[in-house]
PDB file of all heavy atoms in Angstrom:
ATOM      1  N   LYS C 198      27.627  37.190  87.316  1.00 98.00           N
ATOM      2  CA  LYS C 198      27.204  38.634  87.056  1.00 98.00           C
ATOM      3  C   LYS C 198      28.358  39.232  86.384  1.00 98.00           C
ATOM      4  O   LYS C 198      29.541  39.094  86.755  1.00 98.00           O
ATOM      5  CB  LYS C 198      26.913  39.339  88.354  1.00 98.00           C
ATOM      6  CG  LYS C 198      25.762  38.723  89.139  1.00 98.00           C
ATOM      7  CD  LYS C 198      25.371  39.642  90.286  1.00 98.00           C
ATOM      8  CE  LYS C 198      24.165  39.031  90.989  1.00 98.00           C
ATOM      9  NZ  LYS C 198      24.500  38.696  92.337  1.00 98.00           N
ATOM     10  N   LEU C 199      28.137  39.933  85.262  1.00 98.00           N
ATOM     11  CA  LEU C 199      29.146  40.488  84.459  1.00 98.00           C
ATOM     12  C   LEU C 199      29.302  41.979  84.538  1.00 98.00           C
ATOM     13  O   LEU C 199      28.294  42.666  84.459  1.00 98.00           O
ATOM     14  CB  LEU C 199      28.925  40.061  82.949  1.00 98.00           C
ATOM     15  CG  LEU C 199      28.880  38.588  82.658  1.00 98.00           C
ATOM     16  CD1 LEU C 199      28.362  38.241  81.323  1.00 98.00           C
ATOM     17  CD2 LEU C 199      30.321  37.962  82.887  1.00 98.00           C
ATOM     18  N   ILE C 200      30.550  42.431  84.674  1.00 98.00           N
ATOM     19  CA  ILE C 200      30.877  43.904  84.546  1.00 98.00           C
ATOM     20  C   ILE C 200      31.802  43.937  83.376  1.00 98.00           C
ATOM     21  O   ILE C 200      32.828  43.273  83.420  1.00 98.00           O
ATOM     22  CB  ILE C 200      31.480  44.370  85.790  1.00 98.00           C
ATOM     23  CG1 ILE C 200      30.618  44.161  86.980  1.00 98.00           C
ATOM     24  CG2 ILE C 200      31.842  45.896  85.654  1.00 98.00           C
ATOM     25  CD1 ILE C 200      31.270  44.626  88.374  1.00 98.00           C
ATOM     26  N   VAL C 201      31.584  44.671  82.332  1.00 98.00           N
ATOM     27  CA  VAL C 201      32.391  44.678  81.136  1.00 98.00           C
ATOM     28  C   VAL C 201      32.866  46.085  80.792  1.00 98.00           C
ATOM     29  O   VAL C 201      32.259  47.086  81.265  1.00 98.00           O
ATOM     30  CB  VAL C 201      31.598  44.092  79.937  1.00 98.00           C
ATOM     31  CG1 VAL C 201      31.074  42.633  80.189  1.00 98.00           C
ATOM     32  CG2 VAL C 201      30.434  44.968  79.584  1.00 98.00           C
ATOM     33  N   THR C 202      33.971  46.115  79.999  1.00 98.00           N
ATOM     34  CA  THR C 202      34.350  47.351  79.479  1.00 98.00           C
ATOM     35  C   THR C 202      34.973  47.059  78.120  1.00 98.00           C
ATOM     36  O   THR C 202      35.442  46.017  77.829  1.00 98.00           O
ATOM     37  CB  THR C 202      35.426  48.072  80.266  1.00 98.00           C
ATOM     38  OG1 THR C 202      35.552  49.401  79.933  1.00 98.00           O
ATOM     39  CG2 THR C 202      36.795  47.450  80.234  1.00 98.00           C
ATOM     40  N   ASP C 203      34.979  48.052  77.222  1.00 97.00           N
ATOM     41  CA  ASP C 203      35.561  48.032  75.905  1.00 97.00           C
ATOM     42  C   ASP C 203      35.675  49.399  75.402  1.00 97.00           C
ATOM     43  O   ASP C 203      34.891  50.264  75.742  1.00 97.00           O
ATOM     44  CB  ASP C 203      34.727  47.138  75.029  1.00 97.00           C
ATOM     45  CG  ASP C 203      35.516  46.523  73.837  1.00 97.00           C
ATOM     46  OD1 ASP C 203      36.067  47.320  72.993  1.00 97.00           O
ATOM     47  OD2 ASP C 203      35.746  45.311  73.759  1.00 97.00           O
ATOM     48  N   ILE C 204      36.756  49.600  74.500  1.00 96.00           N
ATOM     49  CA  ILE C 204      36.834  50.892  73.892  1.00 96.00           C
ATOM     50  C   ILE C 204      36.000  50.937  72.636  1.00 96.00           C
ATOM     51  O   ILE C 204      35.746  52.024  72.023  1.00 96.00           O
ATOM     52  CB  ILE C 204      38.337  51.235  73.545  1.00 96.00           C
ATOM     53  CG1 ILE C 204      38.991  50.060  72.762  1.00 96.00           C
ATOM     54  CG2 ILE C 204      39.137  51.592  74.751  1.00 96.00           C
ATOM     55  CD1 ILE C 204      40.355  50.361  72.121  1.00 96.00           C
ATOM     56  N   ASN C 205      35.414  49.805  72.347  1.00 95.00           N
ATOM     57  CA  ASN C 205      34.544  49.692  71.099  1.00 95.00           C
ATOM     58  C   ASN C 205      33.133  49.655  71.659  1.00 95.00           C
ATOM     59  O   ASN C 205      32.667  48.684  72.246  1.00 95.00           O
ATOM     60  CB  ASN C 205      34.906  48.452  70.323  1.00 95.00           C
ATOM     61  CG  ASN C 205      33.992  48.231  69.148  1.00 95.00           C
ATOM     62  OD1 ASN C 205      32.832  48.425  69.185  1.00 95.00           O
ATOM     63  ND2 ASN C 205      34.581  47.768  68.086  1.00 95.00           N
ATOM     64  N   GLN C 206      32.322  50.717  71.444  1.00 96.00           N
ATOM     65  CA  GLN C 206      31.042  50.916  72.007  1.00 96.00           C
ATOM     66  C   GLN C 206      30.123  49.739  71.492  1.00 96.00           C
ATOM     67  O   GLN C 206      29.307  49.255  72.237  1.00 96.00           O
ATOM     68  CB  GLN C 206      30.447  52.287  71.633  1.00 96.00           C
ATOM     69  CG  GLN C 206      29.224  52.612  72.524  1.00 96.00           C
ATOM     70  CD  GLN C 206      29.419  52.687  74.036  1.00 96.00           C
ATOM     71  OE1 GLN C 206      30.482  53.120  74.434  1.00 96.00           O
ATOM     72  NE2 GLN C 206      28.455  52.181  74.774  1.00 96.00           N
ATOM     73  N   GLU C 207      30.223  49.381  70.203  1.00 97.00           N
ATOM     74  CA  GLU C 207      29.387  48.395  69.624  1.00 97.00           C
ATOM     75  C   GLU C 207      29.559  47.055  70.406  1.00 97.00           C
ATOM     76  O   GLU C 207      28.562  46.401  70.788  1.00 97.00           O
ATOM     77  CB  GLU C 207      29.756  48.169  68.184  1.00 97.00           C
ATOM     78  CG  GLU C 207      28.642  47.888  67.290  1.00 97.00           C
ATOM     79  CD  GLU C 207      29.189  47.811  65.840  1.00 97.00           C
ATOM     80  OE1 GLU C 207      29.672  48.900  65.354  1.00 97.00           O
ATOM     81  OE2 GLU C 207      29.147  46.743  65.292  1.00 97.00           O
ATOM     82  N   ASN C 208      30.769  46.716  70.612  1.00 97.00           N
ATOM     83  CA  ASN C 208      31.037  45.426  71.328  1.00 97.00           C
ATOM     84  C   ASN C 208      30.502  45.480  72.800  1.00 97.00           C
ATOM     85  O   ASN C 208      29.969  44.502  73.249  1.00 97.00           O
ATOM     86  CB  ASN C 208      32.522  45.137  71.422  1.00 97.00           C
ATOM     87  CG  ASN C 208      33.029  44.716  70.029  1.00 97.00           C
ATOM     88  OD1 ASN C 208      32.293  44.465  69.043  1.00 97.00           O
ATOM     89  ND2 ASN C 208      34.362  44.492  69.949  1.00 97.00           N
ATOM     90  N   MET C 209      30.682  46.635  73.388  1.00 97.00           N
ATOM     91  CA  MET C 209      30.165  46.780  74.760  1.00 97.00           C
ATOM     92  C   MET C 209      28.627  46.640  74.819  1.00 97.00           C
ATOM     93  O   MET C 209      28.128  45.977  75.601  1.00 97.00           O
ATOM     94  CB  MET C 209      30.618  48.127  75.332  1.00 97.00           C
ATOM     95  CG  MET C 209      30.454  48.157  76.782  1.00 97.00           C
ATOM     96  SD  MET C 209      31.784  48.848  77.638  1.00 97.00           S
ATOM     97  CE  MET C 209      31.390  50.558  77.614  1.00 97.00           C
ATOM     98  N   ASN C 210      27.994  47.365  73.824  1.00 97.00           N
ATOM     99  CA  ASN C 210      26.515  47.319  73.796  1.00 97.00           C
ATOM    100  C   ASN C 210      26.025  45.887  73.557  1.00 97.00           C
ATOM    101  O   ASN C 210      24.980  45.448  74.130  1.00 97.00           O
ATOM    102  CB  ASN C 210      25.990  48.182  72.641  1.00 97.00           C
ATOM    103  CG  ASN C 210      26.163  49.589  72.969  1.00 97.00           C
ATOM    104  OD1 ASN C 210      26.404  50.046  74.121  1.00 97.00           O
ATOM    105  ND2 ASN C 210      26.099  50.488  71.926  1.00 97.00           N
ATOM    106  N   ARG C 211      26.701  45.059  72.750  1.00 98.00           N
ATOM    107  CA  ARG C 211      26.315  43.679  72.514  1.00 98.00           C
ATOM    108  C   ARG C 211      26.381  42.834  73.784  1.00 98.00           C
ATOM    109  O   ARG C 211      25.432  42.157  74.084  1.00 98.00           O
ATOM    110  CB  ARG C 211      27.307  43.145  71.483  1.00 98.00           C
ATOM    111  CG  ARG C 211      26.978  41.860  70.926  1.00 98.00           C
ATOM    112  CD  ARG C 211      27.829  41.420  69.802  1.00 98.00           C
ATOM    113  NE  ARG C 211      29.289  41.311  70.212  1.00 98.00           N
ATOM    114  CZ  ARG C 211      30.199  40.573  69.691  1.00 98.00           C
ATOM    115  NH1 ARG C 211      29.888  39.844  68.625  1.00 98.00           N
ATOM    116  NH2 ARG C 211      31.470  40.510  70.058  1.00 98.00           N
ATOM    117  N   ALA C 212      27.342  43.085  74.617  1.00 98.00           N
ATOM    118  CA  ALA C 212      27.440  42.375  75.947  1.00 98.00           C
ATOM    119  C   ALA C 212      26.343  42.817  76.806  1.00 98.00           C
ATOM    120  O   ALA C 212      25.746  42.040  77.561  1.00 98.00           O
ATOM    121  CB  ALA C 212      28.752  42.559  76.526  1.00 98.00           C
ATOM    122  N   ILE C 213      26.120  44.129  76.875  1.00 98.00           N
ATOM    123  CA  ILE C 213      25.069  44.641  77.751  1.00 98.00           C
ATOM    124  C   ILE C 213      23.689  44.093  77.350  1.00 98.00           C
ATOM    125  O   ILE C 213      22.883  43.504  78.154  1.00 98.00           O
ATOM    126  CB  ILE C 213      24.988  46.176  77.694  1.00 98.00           C
ATOM    127  CG1 ILE C 213      26.295  46.802  78.158  1.00 98.00           C
ATOM    128  CG2 ILE C 213      23.802  46.763  78.483  1.00 98.00           C
ATOM    129  CD1 ILE C 213      26.458  48.291  77.911  1.00 98.00           C
ATOM    130  N   HIS C 214      23.424  44.055  76.096  1.00 98.00           N
ATOM    131  CA  HIS C 214      22.146  43.610  75.512  1.00 98.00           C
ATOM    132  C   HIS C 214      22.041  42.185  75.738  1.00 98.00           C
ATOM    133  O   HIS C 214      20.938  41.596  76.239  1.00 98.00           O
ATOM    134  CB  HIS C 214      22.047  44.036  74.079  1.00 98.00           C
ATOM    135  CG  HIS C 214      20.817  43.567  73.438  1.00 98.00           C
ATOM    136  ND1 HIS C 214      20.736  42.318  72.678  1.00 98.00           N
ATOM    137  CD2 HIS C 214      19.506  44.032  73.338  1.00 98.00           C
ATOM    138  CE1 HIS C 214      19.463  42.145  72.271  1.00 98.00           C
ATOM    139  NE2 HIS C 214      18.694  43.214  72.662  1.00 98.00           N
ATOM    140  N   ASP C 215      22.972  41.352  75.298  1.00 98.00           N
ATOM    141  CA  ASP C 215      22.787  39.928  75.279  1.00 98.00           C
ATOM    142  C   ASP C 215      22.992  39.241  76.645  1.00 98.00           C
ATOM    143  O   ASP C 215      22.335  38.190  76.872  1.00 98.00           O
ATOM    144  CB  ASP C 215      23.899  39.228  74.280  1.00 98.00           C
ATOM    145  CG  ASP C 215      23.642  39.663  72.896  1.00 98.00           C
ATOM    146  OD1 ASP C 215      22.706  40.406  72.603  1.00 98.00           O
ATOM    147  OD2 ASP C 215      24.400  39.216  71.997  1.00 98.00           O
ATOM    148  N   PHE C 216      23.752  39.858  77.596  1.00 98.00           N
ATOM    149  CA  PHE C 216      23.990  39.179  78.845  1.00 98.00           C
ATOM    150  C   PHE C 216      23.639  40.022  80.025  1.00 98.00           C
ATOM    151  O   PHE C 216      24.048  39.672  81.201  1.00 98.00           O
ATOM    152  CB  PHE C 216      25.443  38.745  78.925  1.00 98.00           C
ATOM    153  CG  PHE C 216      25.950  37.989  77.681  1.00 98.00           C
ATOM    154  CD1 PHE C 216      27.044  38.546  76.991  1.00 98.00           C
ATOM    155  CD2 PHE C 216      25.273  36.881  77.272  1.00 98.00           C
ATOM    156  CE1 PHE C 216      27.497  37.923  75.799  1.00 98.00           C
ATOM    157  CE2 PHE C 216      25.712  36.256  76.100  1.00 98.00           C
ATOM    158  CZ  PHE C 216      26.817  36.681  75.381  1.00 98.00           C
ATOM    159  N   GLY C 217      23.009  41.155  79.844  1.00 97.00           N
ATOM    160  CA  GLY C 217      22.639  41.975  80.944  1.00 97.00           C
ATOM    161  C   GLY C 217      23.809  42.538  81.716  1.00 97.00           C
ATOM    162  O   GLY C 217      23.745  42.764  82.926  1.00 97.00           O
TER     163      GLY C 217
END
Side-chain angles (χ1 to χ4, degrees):
K198 296 189 180 118
L199 298 170
I200 302 177
V201 300
T202 195
D203 203 295
I204 50 170
N205 177 322
Q206 193 60 41
E207 215 176 294
N208 285 356
M209 193 136 89
N210 289 346
R211 188 173 59 155
I213 297 167
H214 176 266
D215 293 0
F216 311 122

